[in-house]
């Protein structure tokens, strides 16, 4: 028998060999995309965490001295930093930020010591830039860049004098009598630890989560601030799939991921530990995902009707593309195609943010993005549905530093009423001014533009609307006598009344639509 390359020549590959080949090609694709960090990236983040630990150790001893604790207690006290999120799970990329929780003792308060004392200490560091206190968030935090890496730093206050560096945040001893804000801040670290304990294979879980995150980013369904699935959501979903099929390969896990969640009966919650916590009441939101670290805790979600339907359409598309992954000519590349915004929508809401300088702009954009959900809800109220493209663009010809977002609209009208977008902008400005934003305020301007007015960018897709692409849309079924185009919609079998594509596109009719102001 002649052999070559580990396979019997002249015989078709076995299923196990195909599984291995598909998994190898998937890992190679991840490597080619550059989402696996280098040793230099790993070392840089280790240094950042180490320096932050040193800073909070000095900070808490200063606080103890200011509180006039005894010298013995000053010497004994300690605070620490615990990484979580993508870095804590080991699935970060070279461009990923760091989620790091600061844990302090009973005498170091959030309002005075953390948001004033620690903030002032960070401001003196040469490595720190673009520092912003986000006090109104569900999990209050300090956001800054440390050696160019974005860091989100929330705070948890435990009822002990000293915090060990290896503190076990699942140990009830450290969790007694803590306040609600500290409990919420701890949830990310606790969820990470529970997930890592539950998955049968850490390597397979990390590989699957990398694939899922790349898919979500490419298809425009990633980011909690934009109303989509965030990192913790995808981590729980990936861990659920890993536990669902314990002896799977990477390729079968990814195919099962889409098969499971394309048909998931939302709003039934996704729960990793079915028998651990008794359910009480209705789970929150349209896509409830339970944290595996405690009863009645769910991932914070900004999902709206619009982003729910877009996400479901992408689950269905992913299932359609991966259900036959064992076929000879199968390729993973189609799954990770960038979402074709320009080829999907005729109208877009343009969100133009500007400020006097780059640092003010960064702070301003961060503040506005933290309030994006209220903007999405207002747009849904006025226009029906929108697709918040997370990609940030820059108008290089503008005088002031700026960031621009383009959100796709599903509107059937031939004209756009300018007063509608003016109303949305005015309402959103009221929301922005109602918080505790303390840095110089930037500017925001909303307008409605055609697809042809979008910047030429690979993330947006092609401006050639006749280009054939895999369409995935979500919109309410329109009666035949009220349709304004000749497209023949193909409706979802799993979401009656919602479109998953079209059989034909009349480009002349689509291009004839004009903005009338």
């Amino acid at each position: 028998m002649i052999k070559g390359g580990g396979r019997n020549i002249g015989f078709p590959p076995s299923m196990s060999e195909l599984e291995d080949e598909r998994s190898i090609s998937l890992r190679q694709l991840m490597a080619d995309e550059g989402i696996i960090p280098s040793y230099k990236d790993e070392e840089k983040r280790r240094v950042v965490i180490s320096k932050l630990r040193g800073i909070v150790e000095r900070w808490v001893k200063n606080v103890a001295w200011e509180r006039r604790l005894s010298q013995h207690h000053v010497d004994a006290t300690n605070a620490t930093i615990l990484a979580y999120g993508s870095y804590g799970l080991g699935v970060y990329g070279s461009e990923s930020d760091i989620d790091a929780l600061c844990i302090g003792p009973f005498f170091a308060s959030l309002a005075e010591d953390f948001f004033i004392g620690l903030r002032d200490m960070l401001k003196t560091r040469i490595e720190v830039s673009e520092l912003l206190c986000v006090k109104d968030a569900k999990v209050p935090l300090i956001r800054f860049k440390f050696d160019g890496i974005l860091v989100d730093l929330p705070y948890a206050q435990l009822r002990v004098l000293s915090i060990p560096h290896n503190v076990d945040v699942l140990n009830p001893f450290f969790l007694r009598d803590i306040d609600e804000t500290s409990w919420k801040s701890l949830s990310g670290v606790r969820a990470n630890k529970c997930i890592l304990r539950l998955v049968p294979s850490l390597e397979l879980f990390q590989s699957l989560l990398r694939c899922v995150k790349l898919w979500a980013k490419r298809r425009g369904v990633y980011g909690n601030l934009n109303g989509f699935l965030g990192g913790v959501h995808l981590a729980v979903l990936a861990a659920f799939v890993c536990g669902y099929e314990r002896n799977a390969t990477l390729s079968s896990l990814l195919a099962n991921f889409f098969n499971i969640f394309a048909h998931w009966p939302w709003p039934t919650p996704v729960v990793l530990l079915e028998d651990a916590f008794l359910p009480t009441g209705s789970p929150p939101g349209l896509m409830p995902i339970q944290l595996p670290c405690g009863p009645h805790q769910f991932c914070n979600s900004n999902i709206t009707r619009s982003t729910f339907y877009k996400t479901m359409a992408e689950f269905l598309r992913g299932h359609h593309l991966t259900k036959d992954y064992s076929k000879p000519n199968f390729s993973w590349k189609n799954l990770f195609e960038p979402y074709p915004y320009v080829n999907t929508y005729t109208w877009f809401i343009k969100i133009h943010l500007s400020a006097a300088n780059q640092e003010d702009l960064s702070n301003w954009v961060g503040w506005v993005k933290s309030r994006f959900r209220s903007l999405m809800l207002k747009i849904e109220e006025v226009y029906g549905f929108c697709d918040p493209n997370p990609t940030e663009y820059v108008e290089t010809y503008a005088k002031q530093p700026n960031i621009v977002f383009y959100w796709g609209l599903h509107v059937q009208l031939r004209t756009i009423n300018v007063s509608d977008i003016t109303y949305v902008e005015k309402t959103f400005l009221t929301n922005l001014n109602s918080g505790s934003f303390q840095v110089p305020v930037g500017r925001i301007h909303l307008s409605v533009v055609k697809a042809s007015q979008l910047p030429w960018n690979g993330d947006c897709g092609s401006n050639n609307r006749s280009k054939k692409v895999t369409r995935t849309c979500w919109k309410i079924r329109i009666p035949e006598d009220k349709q304004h185009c000749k497209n023949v919609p193909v409706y979802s079998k799993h979401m009656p009344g919602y479109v998953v594509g079209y059989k034909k596109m009349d480009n002349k009719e689509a291009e004839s639509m004009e903005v009338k102001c």
Side-chain angles (χ1 to χ4, degrees):
M1 183 179 293
I2 302 175
K3 296 185 178 182
R7 179 191 297 173
N8 296 338
I9 296 178
F11 294 92
S14 65
M15 191 60 192
S16 62
E17 288 175 326
L18 275 173
E19 289 278 0
D20 291 340
E21 287 184 4
R22 294 292 181 264
S23 298
I24 290 170
S25 64
L26 191 51
R27 286 188 171 90
Q28 185 60 53
L29 189 149
M30 295 299 107
D32 294 342
E33 292 292 342
I35 63 173
I36 300 176
S38 64
Y39 174 79
K40 184 178 180 181
D41 293 325
E42 294 178 4
E43 184 62 24
K44 186 175 183 179
R45 280 164 174 74
R46 278 197 293 266
V47 170
V48 169
I49 294 295
S50 177
K51 288 184 176 181
L52 286 176
R53 282 183 177 145
I55 291 171
V56 300
E57 286 175 12
R58 292 192 296 274
W59 161 72
V60 78
K61 291 185 183 297
N62 288 342
V63 175
W65 182 82
E66 291 171 356
R67 295 286 186 274
R68 300 193 176 187
L69 271 64
S70 67
Q71 187 61 49
H72 170 72
H73 285 156
V74 172
D75 293 339
T77 193
N78 190 47
T80 193
I81 293 286
L82 294 182
Y84 64 104
S86 61
Y87 180 71
L89 290 173
V91 293
Y92 63 96
S94 58
E95 302 298 323
S96 300
D97 57 3
I98 294 178
D99 293 306
L101 175 66
C102 176
I103 306 180
F106 70 93
F107 57 82
S109 67
L110 173 70
E112 182 178 352
D113 299 314
F114 181 75
F115 275 126
I116 298 177
L118 183 57
R119 178 204 64 187
D120 291 344
M121 184 175 289
L122 288 169
K123 285 178 69 174
T124 64
R125 299 285 301 209
I126 192 173
E127 306 99 328
V128 174
S129 63
E130 301 180 23
L131 189 146
L132 174 67
C133 291
V134 186
K135 300 180 181 180
D136 285 349
K138 293 180 181 178
V139 178
L141 53 84
I142 300 176
R143 177 172 292 150
F144 55 94
K145 284 187 176 180
F146 199 102
D147 276 340
I149 298 176
L150 182 65
V151 179
D152 278 349
L153 188 71
Y155 179 64
Q157 184 181 12
L158 305 187
R159 301 299 177 188
V160 295
L161 174 66
S162 183
I163 314 296
H165 284 309
N166 60 344
V167 56
D168 182 4
V169 293
L170 299 178
N171 187 336
F173 171 79
F174 292 105
L175 304 177
R176 66 188 192 281
D177 300 326
I178 64 173
D179 60 82
E180 184 178 355
T181 300
S182 295
W183 184 259
K184 290 179 179 178
S185 298
L186 282 164
S187 64
V189 177
R190 287 165 51 81
N192 266 33
K193 285 186 172 292
C194 288
I195 289 171
L196 294 177
R197 289 182 181 182
L198 289 171
V199 294
S201 167
L202 178 59
E203 188 277 328
L204 275 177
F205 164 74
Q206 291 173 331
S207 297
L208 175 62
L209 186 52
R210 287 187 190 278
C211 294
V212 169
K213 289 180 71 172
L214 178 63
W215 159 80
K217 290 177 180 179
R218 288 286 175 82
R219 300 305 295 176
V221 290
Y222 182 80
N224 191 41
L225 291 179
N226 290 86
F228 294 108
L229 299 171
V232 65
H233 302 87
L234 294 178
V236 174
L237 297 187
F240 182 88
V241 174
C242 288
Y244 194 80
E245 188 178 354
R246 292 178 171 267
N247 298 317
T249 61
L250 177 59
S251 54
S252 65
L253 283 175
L254 186 57
N256 281 338
F257 176 89
F258 292 110
N259 180 36
I260 290 171
F261 296 113
H263 304 95
W264 190 263
W266 306 106
T268 301
V270 176
V271 180
L272 287 183
L273 298 173
E274 286 287 355
D275 301 324
F277 310 111
L278 296 176
T280 59
S282 300
L286 297 170
M287 301 182 80
I289 299 172
Q290 191 180 68
L291 290 170
C293 51
H296 325 310
Q297 290 189 66
F298 290 84
C299 302
N300 174 40
S301 175
N302 289 322
I303 292 174
T304 69
R305 289 181 303 156
S306 298
T307 56
F308 172 78
Y309 297 133
K310 166 76 181 291
T311 303
M312 283 305 301
E314 288 303 320
F315 278 145
L316 287 165
R317 175 184 178 272
H319 172 57
H320 173 74
L321 291 175
T322 59
K323 63 182 180 180
D324 296 322
Y325 72 94
S326 61
K327 287 188 174 180
N329 296 326
F330 176 83
S331 172
W332 294 107
K333 290 185 178 180
N334 291 338
L335 178 66
F336 301 100
E337 283 183 352
Y339 188 80
Y341 289 97
V342 174
N343 295 289
T344 303
Y345 306 108
T346 302
W347 304 103
F348 288 81
I349 284 186
K350 178 181 178 182
I351 306 168
H352 188 280
L353 306 176
S354 61
N357 56 65
Q358 199 63 46
E359 185 167 352
D360 287 350
L361 176 66
S362 178
N363 294 335
W364 177 236
V365 170
W367 175 249
V368 173
K369 289 172 71 174
S370 72
R371 298 298 181 103
F372 263 177
R373 189 174 194 274
S374 66
L375 177 59
M376 286 185 283
L377 293 175
K378 185 56 62 177
I379 292 173
E380 288 180 359
E381 176 186 318
V382 173
Y383 293 101
F385 292 93
C386 75
D387 183 355
N389 178 4
T391 306
E392 299 179 359
Y393 300 90
V394 177
E395 291 185 343
T396 55
Y397 57 84
K399 294 182 179 180
Q400 285 193 322
N402 64 87
I403 292 292
V404 183
F405 297 89
Y406 294 93
W407 290 4
L409 287 178
H410 265 304
V411 290
Q412 300 302 316
L413 302 177
R414 291 175 178 272
T415 60
I416 295 293
N417 192 336
V418 177
S419 62
D420 288 342
I421 194 62
T422 302
Y423 165 70
V424 172
E425 179 180 311
K426 182 178 179 181
T427 306
F428 186 51
L429 272 172
T430 301
N431 182 279
L432 288 175
N433 295 329
S434 66
S436 59
F437 191 62
Q438 298 175 345
V439 299
V441 176
R443 296 181 178 86
I444 180 172
H445 176 65
L446 304 184
S447 58
V448 178
V449 299
K450 289 184 65 177
S452 58
Q453 296 174 267
L454 265 64
W456 181 268
N457 190 294
D459 294 329
C460 267
S462 169
N463 276 312
N464 178 8
R465 295 180 61 81
S466 64
K467 180 181 178 181
K468 293 183 179 179
V469 294
T470 303
R471 301 284 301 275
T472 55
C473 306
W474 37 264
K475 59 184 178 183
I476 297 174
R477 185 192 299 269
I478 304 167
E480 292 294 332
D481 59 340
K482 294 184 180 180
Q483 289 189 11
H484 296 287
C485 62
K486 297 180 181 180
N487 298 339
V488 180
V490 179
Y491 293 98
S492 169
K493 295 179 181 179
H494 310 287
M495 300 168 59
Y498 292 93
V499 177
V500 296
Y502 293 91
K503 292 183 179 178
K504 184 177 71 173
M505 177 69 182
D506 188 336
N507 297 306
K508 292 183 179 180
E509 181 69 11
E511 286 294 331
S512 67
M513 300 179 70
E514 295 181 356
V515 178
K516 296 181 180 180
C517 300

